[in-house]
Amino acid sequence: MMLDLAIGIILGGCALGAGTAMIGGIGPGIGEGNAVAKACEAIGRQPECKGDVTSTMLMGCAIAETTGLYSLVIAILLIFVAPNLLVDILLNAVR
């Protein structure tokens, strides 16, 4: 009975952690939206700088997107890898 409760707590903690990790996807979305908006403003003011502004914006968006990808990787690990690993550690500790 207590073992089932402990396994449930592990699974619930992994699910909460994965959900919390996915909050990290909000930041890159907001940041990239702001970057594109400012790039469009800059191109509107000086159309001759379109190539420089676009390449700089794309580089910045690519770097910003990595934080969202890291949070996705952490969430996937918490959903698929961590529960099995932690339950195995718990079962080995009980035996």
Side-chain angles (χ1 to χ4, degrees):
M1 184 68 175
M2 291 297 286
L3 191 60
D4 292 336
L5 178 63
I7 291 173
I9 291 172
I10 288 172
L11 296 176
C14 288
L16 285 172
T20 304
M22 284 313 298
I23 292 174
I26 294 172
I30 294 171
E32 289 172 23
N34 285 337
V36 172
K38 297 297 181 181
C40 288
E41 287 178 18
I43 292 170
R45 288 188 185 134
Q46 294 183 346
E48 66 274 4
C49 295
K50 179 182 178 184
D52 293 336
V53 171
T54 302
S55 63
T56 304
M57 178 204 61
L58 289 175
M59 181 60 77
C61 285
I63 292 171
E65 187 64 30
T66 59
T67 58
L69 292 175
Y70 289 143
S71 65
L72 176 65
V73 168
I74 295 296
I76 288 172
L77 288 174
L78 282 171
I79 291 172
F80 295 111
V81 176
N84 294 331
L85 183 67
L86 294 174
V87 169
D88 287 343
I89 290 171
L90 175 69
L91 292 177
N92 288 334
V94 171
R95 294 180 190 161

